[in-house]
Amino acid sequence: DAGITQSPRHKVTETGTPVTLRCHQTENHRYMYWYRQDPGHGLRLIHYSYGVKDTDKGEVSDGYSVSRSKTEDFLLTLESATSSQTSVYFCAISESTASGGQETQYFGPGTRLLVL
Amino acid sequence: QQQVKQSPQSLIVQKGGISIINCAYENTAFDYFPWYQQFPGKGPALLIAIRPDVSEKKEGRFTISFNKSAKQFSLHIMDSQPGDSATYFCAASEGETSGSRLTFGEGTQLTVNP
């Protein structure tokens, strides 16, 4: 999984509690992404980061926040978990090209989250 | 709003057969079209990708066909093997400097019977 770890790998939590998922990379890649995967929807981008402290919203960002204080770590926080946030969460990384664009995205192993 | 539509949802093929998965997109600014392969319990992994300046790209048993005018692209897996059984996602992104925000299709679960 291209030097990407996600923690925890599995989590069960209750509605209304905050949850933080961690993505850690050892590749020193500039770009990091958080996706959620749900049946019938493929993968949908939640938030992404284009550098330390530089983040932007994706397609399904409501109810989620992110932080990136170091190149290697990208945190996803569910501020008050709801049952609709039960999903599999994937982190991805990519590097910048010489022309300033992005190369292939590499995905982590995922975190399976169940909100009761 | 699903900008990339993928079909079929599931596909069963006999060993040695050809698997074909289709995707259609709406955004004419998309200019990078990767396919990802995902095994159960794993993250998606890049399989093959194409840019719209070519109509076909082949890597081993995997071929992408691209039709820019129809805004469609497809994955062909020749001589399908049981080890190819996985979920396949097409995706698209716009512009090399746009943040590589991939838009994914819904996924196709491929089963190759021995």
Side-chain angles (χ1 to χ4, degrees):
Chain A
D1 291 315
I4 309 169
T5 56
Q6 293 186 230
S7 58
R9 293 294 313 279
H10 302 271
K11 185 168 182 66
V12 180
T13 191
E14 293 186 349
T15 298
T17 60
V19 176
T20 295
L21 308 182
R22 181 186 184 225
C23 177
H24 178 79
Q25 60 149 327
T26 57
E27 306 295 327
N28 200 38
H29 282 5
R30 176 182 177 187
Y31 300 94
M32 299 185 75
Y33 312 81
W34 276 108
Y35 292 88
R36 60 177 289 174
Q37 183 175 29
D38 305 287
H41 290 278
L43 291 99
R44 292 179 291 175
L45 183 66
I46 305 171
H47 281 279
Y48 70 105
S49 170
Y50 46 95
V52 173
K53 299 191 188 306
D54 292 322
T55 65
D56 204 351
K57 295 179 179 180
E59 178 187 355
V60 290
S61 59
D62 287 349
Y64 302 95
S65 62
V66 290
S67 66
R68 191 172 179 196
S69 58
K70 299 184 288 185
T71 298
E72 58 266 35
D73 289 325
F74 193 32
L75 304 181
L76 176 71
T77 297
L78 288 65
E79 293 140 11
S80 177
T82 68
S83 58
S84 65
Q85 293 176 311
T86 291
S87 187
V88 182
Y89 291 86
F90 286 100
C91 173
I93 64 174
S94 67
E95 186 50 281
S96 54
T97 64
S99 60
Q102 293 81 42
E103 295 183 342
T104 301
Q105 290 189 25
Y106 297 94
F107 285 79
T111 293
R112 192 172 293 272
L113 176 67
L114 175 60
V115 183
L116 299 174
Chain B
Q1 182 182 356
Q2 190 70 37
Q3 292 194 58
V4 178
K5 290 200 173 292
Q6 183 172 346
S7 63
Q9 274 190 317
S10 63
L11 180 62
I12 300 175
V13 174
Q14 292 300 118
K15 179 181 176 181
I18 302 173
S19 304
I20 302 174
I21 304 170
N22 301 298
C23 284
Y25 62 96
E26 299 167 8
N27 186 350
T28 55
F30 285 151
D31 64 356
Y32 176 66
F33 303 90
W35 283 90
Y36 280 81
Q37 179 188 56
Q38 184 180 30
F39 293 105
K42 301 289 187 180
L46 180 69
L47 186 62
I48 187 172
I50 197 168
R51 294 196 182 272
D53 52 342
V54 297
S55 60
E56 186 175 284
K57 183 174 181 180
K58 183 176 180 180
E59 291 185 1
R61 296 184 293 109
F62 301 91
T63 300
I64 299 179
S65 298
F66 184 80
N67 186 329
K68 188 174 182 178
S69 60
K71 293 187 288 184
Q72 295 175 347
F73 58 110
S74 60
L75 176 69
H76 296 235
I77 306 175
M78 311 300 287
D79 187 26
S80 298
Q81 300 296 313
D84 297 330
S85 297
T87 301
Y88 292 81
F89 294 95
C90 62
S93 68
E94 170 189 345
E96 200 176 14
T97 59
S98 68
S100 192
R101 296 173 55 161
L102 288 171
T103 298
F104 283 84
E106 301 94 330
T108 296
Q109 187 162 349
L110 171 66
T111 301
V112 181
N113 288 328

